[in-house]
Amino acid sequence: MSPAHDIPPTERPTVGLFATCLVDAMRPSIGFAAASLLEDAGCVVSVPERQVCCGQPAYNAGDRKTAAVIARQTIALFEEFDYAVAPSGSC
């Protein structure tokens, strides 16, 4: 066990892992590796089940209204964490 695990859970940073569409659909092993590295570093890692698309496809298509709605949902979902980590680029 690493020294980071000697830190009480209440004092360890919380991390919300944002599993992008790329990680979810193409390379889930990247998400698992990122979670493992973060935990080894002493973080408490969670993957919010309600996370969805980040909104980039809507934004890139010019649908700024939909992109803003999705962005606000994502921000609200991750604001409870000390950090949000996305282990890959976007789609």
Side-chain angles (χ1 to χ4, degrees), residues 1-65:
M1 203 182 277
S2 72
H5 289 283
D6 293 336
I7 302 168
T10 56
E11 295 179 22
R12 293 167 47 196
T14 60
V15 174
L17 187 65
F18 184 49
T20 63
C21 296
L22 182 62
V23 168
D24 187 44
M26 306 280 292
R27 296 278 191 244
S29 62
I30 299 295
F32 290 114
S36 179
L37 288 170
L38 289 163
E39 288 172 345
D40 286 348
C43 299
V44 176
V45 180
S46 298
V47 182
E49 292 182 25
R50 292 184 14 241
Q51 63 182 295
V52 295
C53 172
C54 68
Q56 183 178 352
Y59 184 84
N60 290 344
D63 186 355
R64 304 296 196 258
K65 183 177 179 182

